[in-house]
Every structure is written in C-alpha cells, then in structure tokens.
Amino acid sequence: MALDKESGYRKNFLLIVTFIVLISILFILSLFLAFNFSKKYIENEFVSEKVNVLEQTIKPYNDFFQIKMPQVSYYSGYLDSASASRFADTTTLKYPFVSKITFYDSEVKNMPVKDGVNSKSFGFGPKNIYQFGKNVSADSIKIYSEENRKSFDVNSDFNPMALQLLSYIGRLDTAKVPGQEELFTNFSVVASNKITYLNIPSFEELKVYKEMLHKKLPQSPVYKLGMFVFQLDPSKIKIINTKPSLFQSIQVQALTYDPINISDENMTTEIALPNAFSNFKLYFISSKDHIKKEIFIYFLPIAMVLLLVYGVLLLIAFLIFRNLNINSKMFKLQYDFVNNLTHEFKTPVSVIKIAGNNIKSATSLSERELGLYGKILDEEADKLNGLMNKLLAFTQIENKAIKLNEEEVNIRDFIESTIESHTLKHPDFNMTYEVAGFKTFITDPVLMGSLFDNLAENAYKYSKPDKKILHISAKLIKGVLVFRFTDKGIGIQSSELNNIFKKFFRIQNEYNQMGSVGLGLAFCKELVNFMQGEITVKSRVGTGTEFKIVLPYNK
C-alpha cells in the first residue's frame, strides 16, 4: 500500500516537472515572438515616423505660405519700398529658409508700358524693383527704376506672372465673386526653390482691369500692384527630429541624391519635401546598432511581463510541488504513526492476552504466580492507559479544550518526585538537579509532570548504556523561569533540529527501531505553548542534547 502511494506521488512529481518544462518552452517561445514583434514594430516605425518628422519640419514653411505671404494683400496694393522692406525683414527673420525677396513696385495702366506686358489698352509693368535679404548690401537694394531700365529682364519672374494675370482677367466672370482659393491659385506661382506672389486686388479693381483689357476708359485709371518673388534655400530648413531615439541623422538632400557607399551597418529611409522644395527630400540615417538598442528598449517591458507571468507559474508549480512533498511526508509520518501505534497497542494487548490465557488455562495458581500475573496485567494496562492519555491530552491541548488547573508547586519536591519515579523505573538512570532564585511557582502540576516525564524519558531512551545521565536546572532569570534538561546522549543532527517538534516525526536511528509514535516532543511543544512559554533545543551529535524551556513566573 505504501509503495503504491509513493509511486502515485512520484507520478505527481513527474507531472510537475512536465509542467515546468512546458511553461519554460512556452516562455522561451514567447520571448522569441515578442522580440520579433518588437523588431518588426521598430522597423515599421522607422519607416512611418518619417511622416511626423516631415510634418513638423515643414510646419514653418506652411505657416509662411498660408499665413505670411497672404499678408501682402492687407496693404490693398499700396506697398511702397519702406513697407516692403519691413515685410521682408520680418519674413527673413522668422523664416530663415527665405534667403532673398525681390519686390516689384508695379502699376496697372490703361495704356501701354515701356517694360512689362501690354495687351490692347492694358499695360502692366514695374516702376521700381527692390531686393532684400541678409546678403544684399545697402547699395544694391534698388535694382530697377524708370530712369535706369537696363537691369530689367524680359525673361525674369515678372513677365510670367504678368501673363498669368492677363490670362485670369481674360476669363474672369464679373457676375460672380471669385473665392479666396481661386484668387490665391491664380495670383501665385510655385517653382523650384521660388514662390512668386502678386498682391490680390479687390473684386471691383478686377472688373476695372477687365474693362481696361478691352477698351480705353475715359479716366485712364492707374492702379498700384505689388509683386514679391521669394527665393528659398532648402539647406536652411530647420529639421525637427520628433524621434531621436529612432533617427540618428536627418539631412536635406537633392531628390536625386544617392550615396555611393551604402553601408550594411546603417538603415536609411527618405521622404520628398512638398511644394517649392519638391526637388529635395529628407534623408534619414541610423546605425543598425542604434536600432537594435531601441528594439531592446521596446522589448524589455514585454519581456518583464512575460518573466513575471513565468515566475508566477513557477511559483504555482513550486507551491504544488511543496504541497505534494508535504503530503508525501505526512502520508509517511501517518503511516509510520499507525504502524507504531499499532505496535505500541499490540505489545501490551498481546502480553495481557497471554497472561489471561495462562490464568484461564491453569488449574491452580500459587500466590507467587498470582502476584506475577497481576503485576504484568497492571503494568501493561498502565502502558495502554498512558498511551491513550497522551493521545487524548495532545488532542485536547491542540484544540484548547482543557484549562490549566493552577496550583502552587514546590520546585524541589516536584523535581525530586520526577527523579524518584524515573530512577525506580530505570535504576541505571543517573539524574541530578539544581534550583536557583525561587522555591515555589503557580502551574498545572499534571501538565508540568507530563512535560518533565517526556523529556526525562527521551534523555534515557536516546543515551548509550554507559551515559544515561540527565541534569535538570531550574532558575529564575529576569522574571521568567528557565528549565534546562541536559543529557549526554547520542545527540541530534543539525538538519533534524527544525523537525523534531513536528507531529509524527521520528529520527531514524538505532534507538527508534523498536517503534515510536512520534508524538513525545510535539506533545512537549504543545504543552509549553499552551502554558504561554517557549521551548528550544541545542544538540551536538555524540555529545548530548539540551532542551531549554522558558515559562512565565507566576507566584
């Protein structure tokens, strides 16, 4: 039966080992998948995050194009060189990528102009041309005037914009007010690194322009109309790296840029710049080691969560294993307990039965025989009674079903009584004692006697024939009673000291071969705890053992 049970426990332990192996494999597989997921995520983010970088980088350009440039129209066409200079200064200061601004102080006339564009009775040409910028010297700001017309170039930015104006006026529907988007589209030209912007006239002026295109008006009106040409420098764009943990380097390069030496140690990606910078791109470079570091930073929290789950599963496996191990040990202890208890009961029962049969079968018994059989029956009955009382008392104490019957006890008389009973039982048992600091104390003499008897019996049982010695010390120290039971027995191994007070635990040695229930020291510990005390043990193999009991002093 025991072997079958142990085999069952071994099978359970094998299941635990299998469980640990499986969760370990699952943990390793999960780490592998998590790392691959992190790698894919970071690599995809390396490609997709460039859009955010582009949006943040060109945000100043969009602000310039959509807000700053249209501010020209606030002047309603009446810009002079001073106004244009102030506008240019604020623009180049706020937007460093605007390298130079050319301002055409122009007029729309109902007659042909010398420089510019003429169509029938419509003429559009510059009066003065100015250039502004950080690298423009003071003496070269004004580059054209009606008095000095040599620097005017027919193929310059002015004529294409003037032709676009003529084309728009020619197809203008004067019955419908044009929208802002339509006006902005027709009064601006976006080229590579350059934006030309013509001040947008009012709708009423546009209708007059259309009339001037077809006929000579009586009043021969003249309208001022300014035009700006913004030269842009892509190298001055401020790059906003929204993800420095991903992108080590971001450069503005020509769209056709393709590095000759492409290292396998780097990752690259690119995205084209919009609008006037369409011939350029943002070029992203990061070393693979840098990307790996970011992958591990992303992977680490996932790995920690997986490790935590794995740790919890291991803890569960350990607790199950420990529970199975405890159950296995408890089964063995209980099995030994039943066997030993059966042996303890069987021996006196057998002796009583033999004595009873002898008495029953004898025709006559002498007084000597009657006394002998009576003594045998009395001794064996005492053994059974003592064993039953110990089991009953242990259960009652453990369940706190009894109360202390407190009486005043004379310590010397109490110890001498214990010594006398044990030396009568074991004449070869050498017992001594000492008392210091007190004479009497309040306790339950029955429970105290059980405690002393168990420790004395153990001292005798686990000592060699020539060393059956026990010294009992009782002292009052710092307000508590300290009892020491010191023997010269075989001693207890240090690995066993933590187990000797457990129920059903028996040390495997030659002195336990005849059977032991394994309740003696557990009973002592329960007794001491019940009396609100503490019991400890010190022992050396081959030298002896000392049990120390500390109890509260009640007088």
PDB file of all heavy atoms in Angstrom, residues 452-476:
ATOM      1  N   PHE A 452       7.917  17.131  32.106  1.00  0.00           N
ATOM      2  CA  PHE A 452       9.161  16.620  32.697  1.00  0.00           C
ATOM      3  C   PHE A 452       9.361  15.145  32.361  1.00  0.00           C
ATOM      4  O   PHE A 452      10.468  14.706  32.033  1.00  0.00           O
ATOM      5  CB  PHE A 452       9.141  16.835  34.217  1.00  0.00           C
ATOM      6  CG  PHE A 452       9.625  18.198  34.640  1.00  0.00           C
ATOM      7  CD1 PHE A 452       9.102  19.346  34.084  1.00  0.00           C
ATOM      8  CD2 PHE A 452      10.641  18.324  35.598  1.00  0.00           C
ATOM      9  CE1 PHE A 452       9.550  20.605  34.467  1.00  0.00           C
ATOM     10  CE2 PHE A 452      11.097  19.581  35.979  1.00  0.00           C
ATOM     11  CZ  PHE A 452      10.545  20.723  35.419  1.00  0.00           C
ATOM     12  N   ASP A 453       8.265  14.351  32.458  1.00  0.00           N
ATOM     13  CA  ASP A 453       8.373  12.904  32.205  1.00  0.00           C
ATOM     14  C   ASP A 453       8.803  12.619  30.770  1.00  0.00           C
ATOM     15  O   ASP A 453       9.628  11.744  30.518  1.00  0.00           O
ATOM     16  CB  ASP A 453       7.033  12.219  32.491  1.00  0.00           C
ATOM     17  CG  ASP A 453       6.746  12.132  33.980  1.00  0.00           C
ATOM     18  OD1 ASP A 453       7.708  12.270  34.767  1.00  0.00           O
ATOM     19  OD2 ASP A 453       5.572  11.945  34.351  1.00  0.00           O
ATOM     20  N   ASN A 454       8.224  13.340  29.801  1.00  0.00           N
ATOM     21  CA  ASN A 454       8.572  13.120  28.388  1.00  0.00           C
ATOM     22  C   ASN A 454      10.037  13.429  28.121  1.00  0.00           C
ATOM     23  O   ASN A 454      10.733  12.672  27.442  1.00  0.00           O
ATOM     24  CB  ASN A 454       7.686  13.979  27.495  1.00  0.00           C
ATOM     25  CG  ASN A 454       6.398  13.279  27.102  1.00  0.00           C
ATOM     26  OD1 ASN A 454       6.382  12.444  26.214  1.00  0.00           O
ATOM     27  ND2 ASN A 454       5.337  13.610  27.812  1.00  0.00           N
ATOM     28  N   LEU A 455      10.512  14.571  28.655  1.00  0.00           N
ATOM     29  CA  LEU A 455      11.908  14.959  28.413  1.00  0.00           C
ATOM     30  C   LEU A 455      12.868  14.011  29.128  1.00  0.00           C
ATOM     31  O   LEU A 455      13.933  13.664  28.591  1.00  0.00           O
ATOM     32  CB  LEU A 455      12.138  16.404  28.868  1.00  0.00           C
ATOM     33  CG  LEU A 455      11.391  17.471  28.046  1.00  0.00           C
ATOM     34  CD1 LEU A 455      11.605  18.860  28.639  1.00  0.00           C
ATOM     35  CD2 LEU A 455      11.856  17.457  26.593  1.00  0.00           C
ATOM     36  N   ALA A 456      12.495  13.556  30.342  1.00  0.00           N
ATOM     37  CA  ALA A 456      13.344  12.606  31.063  1.00  0.00           C
ATOM     38  C   ALA A 456      13.374  11.268  30.346  1.00  0.00           C
ATOM     39  O   ALA A 456      14.430  10.628  30.231  1.00  0.00           O
ATOM     40  CB  ALA A 456      12.834  12.448  32.491  1.00  0.00           C
ATOM     41  N   GLU A 457      12.217  10.813  29.860  1.00  0.00           N
ATOM     42  CA  GLU A 457      12.145   9.530  29.160  1.00  0.00           C
ATOM     43  C   GLU A 457      12.964   9.562  27.879  1.00  0.00           C
ATOM     44  O   GLU A 457      13.648   8.597  27.529  1.00  0.00           O
ATOM     45  CB  GLU A 457      10.677   9.206  28.847  1.00  0.00           C
ATOM     46  CG  GLU A 457      10.405   7.759  28.471  1.00  0.00           C
ATOM     47  CD  GLU A 457      10.707   6.808  29.616  1.00  0.00           C
ATOM     48  OE1 GLU A 457      10.457   7.167  30.787  1.00  0.00           O
ATOM     49  OE2 GLU A 457      11.208   5.702  29.334  1.00  0.00           O
ATOM     50  N   ASN A 458      12.914  10.702  27.152  1.00  0.00           N
ATOM     51  CA  ASN A 458      13.722  10.842  25.935  1.00  0.00           C
ATOM     52  C   ASN A 458      15.212  10.801  26.256  1.00  0.00           C
ATOM     53  O   ASN A 458      16.011  10.205  25.521  1.00  0.00           O
ATOM     54  CB  ASN A 458      13.384  12.160  25.222  1.00  0.00           C
ATOM     55  CG  ASN A 458      12.254  11.989  24.225  1.00  0.00           C
ATOM     56  OD1 ASN A 458      11.690  10.918  24.126  1.00  0.00           O
ATOM     57  ND2 ASN A 458      11.901  13.050  23.514  1.00  0.00           N
ATOM     58  N   ALA A 459      15.600  11.506  27.328  1.00  0.00           N
ATOM     59  CA  ALA A 459      17.014  11.522  27.719  1.00  0.00           C
ATOM     60  C   ALA A 459      17.517  10.118  28.006  1.00  0.00           C
ATOM     61  O   ALA A 459      18.654   9.759  27.663  1.00  0.00           O
ATOM     62  CB  ALA A 459      17.209  12.433  28.932  1.00  0.00           C
ATOM     63  N   TYR A 460      16.704   9.297  28.663  1.00  0.00           N
ATOM     64  CA  TYR A 460      17.103   7.919  28.970  1.00  0.00           C
ATOM     65  C   TYR A 460      17.132   7.073  27.699  1.00  0.00           C
ATOM     66  O   TYR A 460      18.082   6.329  27.461  1.00  0.00           O
ATOM     67  CB  TYR A 460      16.139   7.309  29.989  1.00  0.00           C
ATOM     68  CG  TYR A 460      16.518   5.893  30.377  1.00  0.00           C
ATOM     69  CD1 TYR A 460      17.489   5.654  31.353  1.00  0.00           C
ATOM     70  CD2 TYR A 460      15.915   4.799  29.751  1.00  0.00           C
ATOM     71  CE1 TYR A 460      17.860   4.353  31.692  1.00  0.00           C
ATOM     72  CE2 TYR A 460      16.281   3.499  30.080  1.00  0.00           C
ATOM     73  CZ  TYR A 460      17.248   3.286  31.056  1.00  0.00           C
ATOM     74  OH  TYR A 460      17.623   2.012  31.382  1.00  0.00           O
ATOM     75  N   LYS A 461      16.082   7.207  26.882  1.00  0.00           N
ATOM     76  CA  LYS A 461      15.945   6.360  25.703  1.00  0.00           C
ATOM     77  C   LYS A 461      17.068   6.581  24.693  1.00  0.00           C
ATOM     78  O   LYS A 461      17.585   5.628  24.101  1.00  0.00           O
ATOM     79  CB  LYS A 461      14.590   6.618  25.046  1.00  0.00           C
ATOM     80  CG  LYS A 461      14.313   5.762  23.821  1.00  0.00           C
ATOM     81  CD  LYS A 461      12.937   6.066  23.250  1.00  0.00           C
ATOM     82  CE  LYS A 461      12.661   5.223  22.017  1.00  0.00           C
ATOM     83  NZ  LYS A 461      11.329   5.500  21.433  1.00  0.00           N
ATOM     84  N   TYR A 462      17.455   7.873  24.487  1.00  0.00           N
ATOM     85  CA  TYR A 462      18.427   8.192  23.436  1.00  0.00           C
ATOM     86  C   TYR A 462      19.824   8.426  24.007  1.00  0.00           C
ATOM     87  O   TYR A 462      20.529   9.350  23.603  1.00  0.00           O
ATOM     88  CB  TYR A 462      17.959   9.420  22.637  1.00  0.00           C
ATOM     89  CG  TYR A 462      16.670   9.170  21.896  1.00  0.00           C
ATOM     90  CD1 TYR A 462      15.471   9.724  22.349  1.00  0.00           C
ATOM     91  CD2 TYR A 462      16.637   8.368  20.762  1.00  0.00           C
ATOM     92  CE1 TYR A 462      14.283   9.483  21.691  1.00  0.00           C
ATOM     93  CE2 TYR A 462      15.452   8.121  20.095  1.00  0.00           C
ATOM     94  CZ  TYR A 462      14.276   8.675  20.566  1.00  0.00           C
ATOM     95  OH  TYR A 462      13.095   8.433  19.904  1.00  0.00           O
ATOM     96  N   SER A 463      20.201   7.624  24.968  1.00  0.00           N
ATOM     97  CA  SER A 463      21.550   7.655  25.540  1.00  0.00           C
ATOM     98  C   SER A 463      22.126   6.246  25.550  1.00  0.00           C
ATOM     99  O   SER A 463      21.382   5.252  25.693  1.00  0.00           O
ATOM    100  CB  SER A 463      21.531   8.206  26.972  1.00  0.00           C
ATOM    101  OG  SER A 463      21.090   9.538  26.990  1.00  0.00           O
ATOM    102  N   LYS A 464      23.434   6.158  25.368  1.00  0.00           N
ATOM    103  CA  LYS A 464      24.098   4.865  25.420  1.00  0.00           C
ATOM    104  C   LYS A 464      24.066   4.324  26.846  1.00  0.00           C
ATOM    105  O   LYS A 464      23.948   5.096  27.811  1.00  0.00           O
ATOM    106  CB  LYS A 464      25.531   5.001  24.911  1.00  0.00           C
ATOM    107  CG  LYS A 464      25.595   5.342  23.425  1.00  0.00           C
ATOM    108  CD  LYS A 464      27.024   5.436  22.937  1.00  0.00           C
ATOM    109  CE  LYS A 464      27.058   5.743  21.434  1.00  0.00           C
ATOM    110  NZ  LYS A 464      28.427   5.840  20.912  1.00  0.00           N
ATOM    111  N   PRO A 465      24.184   3.014  27.003  1.00  0.00           N
ATOM    112  CA  PRO A 465      24.057   2.413  28.343  1.00  0.00           C
ATOM    113  C   PRO A 465      24.973   3.006  29.405  1.00  0.00           C
ATOM    114  O   PRO A 465      24.585   3.125  30.569  1.00  0.00           O
ATOM    115  CB  PRO A 465      24.396   0.936  28.083  1.00  0.00           C
ATOM    116  CG  PRO A 465      24.017   0.715  26.651  1.00  0.00           C
ATOM    117  CD  PRO A 465      24.334   2.012  25.944  1.00  0.00           C
ATOM    118  N   ASP A 466      26.171   3.427  28.993  1.00  0.00           N
ATOM    119  CA  ASP A 466      27.108   3.964  29.984  1.00  0.00           C
ATOM    120  C   ASP A 466      26.998   5.483  30.151  1.00  0.00           C
ATOM    121  O   ASP A 466      27.772   6.095  30.895  1.00  0.00           O
ATOM    122  CB  ASP A 466      28.542   3.585  29.604  1.00  0.00           C
ATOM    123  CG  ASP A 466      28.931   4.112  28.237  1.00  0.00           C
ATOM    124  OD1 ASP A 466      28.011   4.380  27.415  1.00  0.00           O
ATOM    125  OD2 ASP A 466      30.138   4.279  27.961  1.00  0.00           O
ATOM    126  N   LYS A 467      26.054   6.099  29.442  1.00  0.00           N
ATOM    127  CA  LYS A 467      25.929   7.563  29.529  1.00  0.00           C
ATOM    128  C   LYS A 467      24.477   7.992  29.762  1.00  0.00           C
ATOM    129  O   LYS A 467      24.040   9.017  29.255  1.00  0.00           O
ATOM    130  CB  LYS A 467      26.450   8.213  28.242  1.00  0.00           C
ATOM    131  CG  LYS A 467      27.949   8.114  28.082  1.00  0.00           C
ATOM    132  CD  LYS A 467      28.430   8.908  26.880  1.00  0.00           C
ATOM    133  CE  LYS A 467      29.943   8.871  26.764  1.00  0.00           C
ATOM    134  NZ  LYS A 467      30.429   9.644  25.606  1.00  0.00           N
ATOM    135  N   LYS A 468      23.764   7.230  30.535  1.00  0.00           N
ATOM    136  CA  LYS A 468      22.376   7.576  30.812  1.00  0.00           C
ATOM    137  C   LYS A 468      22.353   8.581  31.966  1.00  0.00           C
ATOM    138  O   LYS A 468      22.122   8.233  33.127  1.00  0.00           O
ATOM    139  CB  LYS A 468      21.568   6.335  31.107  1.00  0.00           C
ATOM    140  CG  LYS A 468      21.457   5.419  29.865  1.00  0.00           C
ATOM    141  CD  LYS A 468      20.475   4.320  30.074  1.00  0.00           C
ATOM    142  CE  LYS A 468      20.367   3.429  28.837  1.00  0.00           C
ATOM    143  NZ  LYS A 468      19.798   4.117  27.677  1.00  0.00           N
ATOM    144  N   ILE A 469      22.646   9.842  31.584  1.00  0.00           N
ATOM    145  CA  ILE A 469      22.804  10.933  32.556  1.00  0.00           C
ATOM    146  C   ILE A 469      21.874  12.082  32.157  1.00  0.00           C
ATOM    147  O   ILE A 469      21.776  12.435  30.980  1.00  0.00           O
ATOM    148  CB  ILE A 469      24.264  11.425  32.599  1.00  0.00           C
ATOM    149  CG1 ILE A 469      25.213  10.291  32.986  1.00  0.00           C
ATOM    150  CG2 ILE A 469      24.421  12.611  33.537  1.00  0.00           C
ATOM    151  CD1 ILE A 469      26.680  10.604  32.775  1.00  0.00           C
ATOM    152  N   LEU A 470      21.226  12.684  33.157  1.00  0.00           N
ATOM    153  CA  LEU A 470      20.386  13.850  32.909  1.00  0.00           C
ATOM    154  C   LEU A 470      20.533  14.826  34.064  1.00  0.00           C
ATOM    155  O   LEU A 470      20.392  14.437  35.227  1.00  0.00           O
ATOM    156  CB  LEU A 470      18.906  13.456  32.755  1.00  0.00           C
ATOM    157  CG  LEU A 470      17.920  14.618  32.588  1.00  0.00           C
ATOM    158  CD1 LEU A 470      18.182  15.366  31.285  1.00  0.00           C
ATOM    159  CD2 LEU A 470      16.477  14.126  32.635  1.00  0.00           C
ATOM    160  N   HIS A 471      20.793  16.106  33.711  1.00  0.00           N
ATOM    161  CA  HIS A 471      20.872  17.162  34.716  1.00  0.00           C
ATOM    162  C   HIS A 471      19.741  18.145  34.460  1.00  0.00           C
ATOM    163  O   HIS A 471      19.596  18.676  33.349  1.00  0.00           O
ATOM    164  CB  HIS A 471      22.219  17.883  34.650  1.00  0.00           C
ATOM    165  CG  HIS A 471      22.346  18.992  35.661  1.00  0.00           C
ATOM    166  ND1 HIS A 471      22.484  18.760  37.011  1.00  0.00           N
ATOM    167  CD2 HIS A 471      22.328  20.346  35.499  1.00  0.00           C
ATOM    168  CE1 HIS A 471      22.553  19.914  37.648  1.00  0.00           C
ATOM    169  NE2 HIS A 471      22.476  20.901  36.750  1.00  0.00           N
ATOM    170  N   ILE A 472      18.914  18.393  35.485  1.00  0.00           N
ATOM    171  CA  ILE A 472      17.794  19.333  35.372  1.00  0.00           C
ATOM    172  C   ILE A 472      18.150  20.604  36.125  1.00  0.00           C
ATOM    173  O   ILE A 472      18.496  20.559  37.312  1.00  0.00           O
ATOM    174  CB  ILE A 472      16.502  18.721  35.950  1.00  0.00           C
ATOM    175  CG1 ILE A 472      16.166  17.411  35.222  1.00  0.00           C
ATOM    176  CG2 ILE A 472      15.345  19.715  35.818  1.00  0.00           C
ATOM    177  CD1 ILE A 472      14.995  16.669  35.830  1.00  0.00           C
ATOM    178  N   SER A 473      18.047  21.743  35.416  1.00  0.00           N
ATOM    179  CA  SER A 473      18.340  23.048  36.013  1.00  0.00           C
ATOM    180  C   SER A 473      17.066  23.881  35.991  1.00  0.00           C
ATOM    181  O   SER A 473      16.379  23.958  34.968  1.00  0.00           O
ATOM    182  CB  SER A 473      19.447  23.749  35.235  1.00  0.00           C
ATOM    183  OG  SER A 473      19.558  25.107  35.613  1.00  0.00           O
ATOM    184  N   ALA A 474      16.728  24.489  37.166  1.00  0.00           N
ATOM    185  CA  ALA A 474      15.550  25.366  37.271  1.00  0.00           C
ATOM    186  C   ALA A 474      15.984  26.678  37.907  1.00  0.00           C
ATOM    187  O   ALA A 474      16.401  26.696  39.069  1.00  0.00           O
ATOM    188  CB  ALA A 474      14.462  24.688  38.085  1.00  0.00           C
ATOM    189  N   LYS A 475      15.891  27.776  37.123  1.00  0.00           N
ATOM    190  CA  LYS A 475      16.365  29.077  37.615  1.00  0.00           C
ATOM    191  C   LYS A 475      15.359  30.173  37.267  1.00  0.00           C
ATOM    192  O   LYS A 475      14.667  30.099  36.234  1.00  0.00           O
ATOM    193  CB  LYS A 475      17.725  29.422  37.005  1.00  0.00           C
ATOM    194  CG  LYS A 475      18.840  28.457  37.393  1.00  0.00           C
ATOM    195  CD  LYS A 475      20.168  28.861  36.772  1.00  0.00           C
ATOM    196  CE  LYS A 475      21.280  27.901  37.169  1.00  0.00           C
ATOM    197  NZ  LYS A 475      22.592  28.269  36.583  1.00  0.00           N
ATOM    198  N   LEU A 476      15.317  31.165  38.146  1.00  0.00           N
ATOM    199  CA  LEU A 476      14.527  32.367  37.881  1.00  0.00           C
ATOM    200  C   LEU A 476      15.475  33.424  37.330  1.00  0.00           C
ATOM    201  O   LEU A 476      16.356  33.902  38.025  1.00  0.00           O
ATOM    202  CB  LEU A 476      13.854  32.864  39.165  1.00  0.00           C
ATOM    203  CG  LEU A 476      13.000  34.143  39.028  1.00  0.00           C
ATOM    204  CD1 LEU A 476      11.847  33.923  38.062  1.00  0.00           C
ATOM    205  CD2 LEU A 476      12.501  34.590  40.402  1.00  0.00           C
TER     206      LEU A 476
END
